[in-house]
Amino acid sequence: MKTILDLIVEELKPAFTGCGYDEKYIRVTVSNRPDLCEYQCNGAMAAAKAYKKKPIDIANEVVEKTAGSKMFSEINAVMPGFINIRLNPCYLASYVQQVAEDEKLGLNAAEKPETIIIDYGGANVAKPLHVGHLRSAVIGESIKRISRYMGHHVISDVHLGDWGLQMGLIIEELHDRQPDLVYFDPDYTGEYPSEPPFTISELEDIYPAASAKSKVDAAFRERAQQATFKLQSGYAPFHAIWKHIMNVSLKDLKKNYGNLNVSFDLWKGESDAQPYIPGLIEDLQKKGLAYESDGALVVDIAQEGDAKEYPPCIVRKSDGAALYATSDLATIIEREQDFHPDRYIYVVDKRQELHFIQVFRVAKKAGIVKEDTPMIFLGFGTMNGKDGGPFKTREGGVMRLEHLIKNIDEKVYEKIQEKQKVPADEMTRTAEIVGLAALKYADLSNQATKDYIFDVDRFISFEGNTGPHIQYMIVRIKSILEKYKELRGADAKVVPIRPAESETEKALQMALCRFGEVTESAFYETAPHKLCQYMAAVADAFNAFYLENKILSEEDAAKQAAFISLITLTKRVLDTCMDLLGMESPEHM
């Protein structure tokens, strides 16, 4: 289904070409001055230089050629050469009805579906999720959902940190705490226990204790490094401990990601990439791409036309150890073999940009990935406290994500309790649904690359540009539809959306017809904030329409039924947007 913008361009083509102007100059946008017009064409401005004419003269010629168009109720040329357009209400209503009848709400699904890898987890095992993990999870999940709605085959990977020094630290701290465990008996030859020697709470205490100890105890740190080396070399007792760490951590991570309504297709980690590293190093050397520099093995990534100098990518340290870049390259090899992706999207802290520039360039230089395969680094900004610094607890520590979610849920619970509109048996679940939308919308409504201030009181407000405000609009529509059904019963007929008779009715119809265009833009620009902006605009348009029209008390049954068709589509659009962003709406608020 073509977008309204595409259809306007098609309508203007005969006028431009009929006046002798190339159709490539037709540029149509939604007007940012709705008081003056709904759409604007700047084609005459673009064509003026090529045809050595005044823009206003070109605009007047084109407008004259469109006389009699059934699409436009008004089209005129204004200085210095803009073409201002208003749509015919009958044409608009017909288009919005097509949107309502379309399974994808007017979205042009991908003609050639791609296989897309989205890497948006990055949590470390043996550590709880904290606020620093929020943005990658929330942004990545929305991009996954938008991509799938577009018709693409998406594989999401959590890509866990599960193979570094933290493993050796945990093993040695466990050794100090429980030296009698069979894993530390060099003479033990039996089967290793199936039950882990620690709970998730104990494990989460072991790592920070070990990390702190390694900073003041050089001998302990040396032991941890040796333990890491032994683990990575396949030492069976330590591999058995590693499996326990993984099993206990994964169960907890899946629970906490689940609380965010975030899921992954793959729960792989750095450890899965290790078998591919020897072949990677050998291939880089064979192709003459890797060379020694100060004992390390590096690959140059500088390219002609670079605006700044990029350092070589280190793929092996002087002591023979692999680095994150090596692991990430090996992971790409694994993904290429398993999935042959057409596109990669990495949702990572923007401070890692240099790292991924290096990895992507080496991957293409070495032929691991085709030169024309998009490899997108979506670097996100930080979530800050009201003081402008990194968001922390009152004690100054990093807040656990589950504690943040709990705090928001409690504040929302208090708020809905005050309103006394939610049944008692729905209170807890409603607070969870609204709290999660408040948290996610606050994050996603900002452009991903930008930092933002975490302000829970503003985020949970039922008014303004917030998740709960949009949920409140959806709940209001649900209530109207339920009451209408009770009112009309068997007489409730579904009728087509009618031509708008008021500005608010037309504004709502115009907002609804843009769903496909906005969703497509959010995918291609990896910009979920665009969907948030759109959802807010639809909610505001509905609210203005609702305040002006007494839907349930409307005496004209046909008019009332058309209103119901319009708000039914509004709810469907808002529900779809919510789902694409990983949210939902409650039954009552």
Side-chain angles (χ1 to χ4, degrees):
M1 185 173 171
K2 293 179 180 178
T3 68
I4 280 282
L5 289 175
D6 289 338
L7 291 169
I8 294 173
V9 169
E10 282 188 7
E11 188 76 3
L12 291 175
K13 276 181 186 177
F16 266 80
T17 56
C19 293
Y21 305 120
D22 196 311
E23 65 183 47
K24 72 179 182 181
Y25 292 108
I26 307 173
R27 301 171 186 175
V28 179
T29 58
V30 176
S31 172
N32 58 8
R33 287 290 305 276
D35 55 317
L36 298 178
C37 60
E38 294 161 354
Y39 294 91
Q40 193 170 75
C41 174
N42 301 340
M45 303 290 287
K49 187 175 180 181
Y51 292 95
K52 296 180 173 56
K53 285 186 175 183
K54 292 179 181 179
I56 191 64
D57 292 341
I58 296 175
N60 277 320
E61 287 180 62
V62 170
V63 166
E64 198 174 323
K65 278 280 186 183
T66 62
S69 169
K70 293 181 179 179
M71 178 183 275
F72 310 133
S73 63
E74 184 182 323
I75 179 167
N76 50 61
V78 296
M79 290 293 288
F82 298 121
I83 298 173
N84 288 352
I85 296 167
R86 289 189 185 276
L87 293 180
N88 184 319
C90 293
Y91 181 90
L92 178 61
S94 173
Y95 183 86
V96 177
Q97 182 60 34
Q98 290 179 56
V99 171
E101 293 168 3
D102 186 69
E103 183 185 357
K104 292 271 186 178
L105 297 166
L107 174 77
N108 288 319
E111 291 182 10
K112 295 181 179 178
E114 298 177 3
T115 295
I116 303 174
I117 292 281
I118 306 182
D119 185 322
Y120 61 97
N124 289 312
V125 299
K127 299 181 189 177
L129 289 179
H130 57 74
V131 293
H133 295 109
L134 175 68
R135 299 213 71 189
S136 61
V138 168
I139 296 168
E141 180 71 16
S142 65
I143 292 170
K144 177 186 79 174
R145 289 167 179 247
I146 292 167
S147 301
R148 283 186 176 156
Y149 195 79
M150 286 287 296
H152 298 295
H153 173 52
V154 183
I155 300 119
S156 57
D157 190 357
V158 68
H159 195 65
L160 298 165
D162 67 348
W163 203 239
L165 179 61
Q166 80 262 30
M167 293 301 161
L169 290 168
I170 293 168
I171 290 168
E172 286 306 312
E173 179 65 16
L174 184 65
H175 186 189
D176 288 353
R177 295 185 181 200
Q178 301 183 59
D180 294 333
L181 291 174
V182 293
Y183 312 98
F184 306 119
D185 180 356
D187 299 321
Y188 183 77
T189 56
E191 291 287 324
Y192 291 105
S194 58
E195 289 299 312
F198 39 67
T199 63
I200 184 62
S201 298
E202 290 167 338
L203 185 57
E204 289 175 357
D205 175 64
I206 287 171
Y207 175 72
S211 180
K213 189 188 293 186
S214 71
K215 292 180 174 67
V216 296
D217 186 338
F220 178 79
R221 183 173 182 83
E222 176 61 27
R223 281 167 48 203
Q225 289 172 336
Q226 289 299 316
T228 304
F229 178 75
K230 290 175 76 173
L231 167 66
Q232 294 179 354
S233 300
Y235 183 55
F238 289 0
H239 194 268
I241 295 174
W242 176 81
K243 286 182 70 175
H244 288 314
I245 294 171
M246 293 299 295
N247 291 336
V248 170
S249 291
L250 279 175
K251 184 178 179 182
D252 187 65
L253 285 170
K254 287 180 179 180
K255 180 193 78 174
N256 284 293
Y257 274 121
N259 290 339
L260 277 176
N261 200 13
V262 168
S263 63
F264 300 92
D265 301 300
L266 302 177
W267 288 83
K268 286 180 174 285
E270 293 167 353
S271 59
D272 293 285
Q274 301 311 299
Y276 299 88
I277 289 178
L280 164 67
I281 299 296
E282 183 182 350
D283 186 54
L284 291 174
Q285 290 176 312
K286 267 187 182 179
K287 290 175 177 174
L289 299 175
Y291 63 93
E292 281 201 15
S293 175
D294 295 328
L297 199 64
V298 304
V299 178
D300 286 328
I301 64 156
Q303 295 177 354
E304 190 177 340
D306 282 342
K308 61 181 180 180
E309 192 173 326
Y310 289 110
C313 177
I314 303 173
V315 293
R316 189 176 67 197
K317 293 200 307 187
S318 56
D319 61 4
L323 294 94
Y324 283 124
T326 328
S327 176
D328 281 337
L329 285 164
T331 299
I332 292 171
I333 292 173
E334 181 185 21
R335 289 168 174 170
E336 284 290 320
Q337 290 185 6
D338 292 348
F339 304 110
H340 312 292
D342 301 298
R343 182 185 300 251
Y344 287 86
I345 303 173
Y346 287 75
V347 185
V348 193
D349 190 311
K350 65 182 179 183
R351 290 169 291 190
Q352 294 192 42
E353 183 177 17
L354 173 60
H355 166 81
F356 281 98
I357 288 173
Q358 291 177 319
V359 169
F360 294 168
R361 288 192 176 187
V362 172
K364 292 193 173 184
K365 194 172 184 178
I368 299 168
V369 174
K370 292 177 184 175
E371 187 59 42
D372 60 353
T373 299
M375 300 190 82
I376 299 162
F377 170 74
L378 181 55
F380 54 81
T382 56
M383 184 175 86
N384 297 323
K386 290 182 181 179
D387 61 355
F391 184 82
K392 293 184 179 296
T393 62
R394 288 180 182 176
E395 295 74 32
V398 178
M399 182 176 280
R400 289 174 66 145
L401 199 48
E402 62 182 303
H403 293 164
L404 178 67
I405 294 171
K406 184 182 177 184
N407 290 347
I408 291 176
D409 289 352
E410 287 173 352
K411 282 183 173 288
V412 172
Y413 189 93
E414 291 172 7
K415 200 173 185 71
I416 59 178
Q417 196 172 36
E418 290 171 9
K419 290 184 174 291
Q420 297 184 341
K421 291 184 177 180
V422 178
D425 60 342
E426 294 179 20
M427 290 277 287
T428 300
R429 181 59 186 144
T430 299
E432 291 171 351
I433 293 171
V434 175
L436 186 58
L439 182 64
K440 284 193 164 187
Y441 188 87
D443 192 295
L444 291 169
S445 58
N446 294 279
Q447 190 172 339
T449 55
K450 294 182 178 178
D451 302 343
Y452 73 96
I453 302 294
F454 188 86
D455 182 349
V456 67
D457 293 326
R458 181 169 64 83
F459 295 166
I460 67 172
S461 174
F462 285 19
E463 298 175 353
N465 185 20
T466 68
H469 170 69
I470 295 168
Q471 288 176 312
Y472 191 70
M473 293 298 106
I474 296 172
V475 169
R476 176 171 280 170
I477 296 173
K478 285 181 183 178
S479 176
I480 295 170
L481 295 178
E482 287 170 4
K483 288 175 182 175
Y484 176 76
K485 193 173 181 181
E486 292 171 8
L487 185 70
R488 294 295 179 185
D491 295 330
K493 296 178 181 178
V494 178
V495 302
I497 289 164
R498 67 174 198 147
E501 292 181 358
S502 68
E503 287 300 317
T504 60
E505 188 175 7
K506 191 176 187 186
L508 179 55
Q509 291 182 11
M510 287 186 59
L512 294 173
C513 75
R514 295 189 62 227
F515 170 80
E517 163 205 332
V518 173
T519 304
E520 195 171 343
S521 175
F523 167 73
Y524 283 111
E525 296 179 35
T526 50
H529 73 278
K530 291 197 164 189
L531 210 51
C532 286
Q533 292 171 348
Y534 171 72
M535 185 163 61
V538 171
D540 288 346
F542 161 73
N543 195 38
F545 169 74
Y546 166 79
L547 292 173
E548 187 177 88
N549 299 277
K550 306 303 179 188
I551 300 171
L552 290 173
S553 59
E554 172 58 53
E555 294 180 359
D556 184 330
K559 185 176 181 180
Q560 185 183 53
F563 282 169
I564 293 298
S565 294
L566 181 60
I567 68 168
T568 298
L569 175 60
T570 304
K571 177 181 175 296
R572 190 173 152 212
V573 167
L574 289 174
D575 279 340
T576 303
C577 289
M578 292 286 281
D579 184 63
L580 292 179
L581 297 170
M583 305 176 237
E584 58 183 310
S585 59
E587 291 302 311
H588 304 92
M589 277 181 78

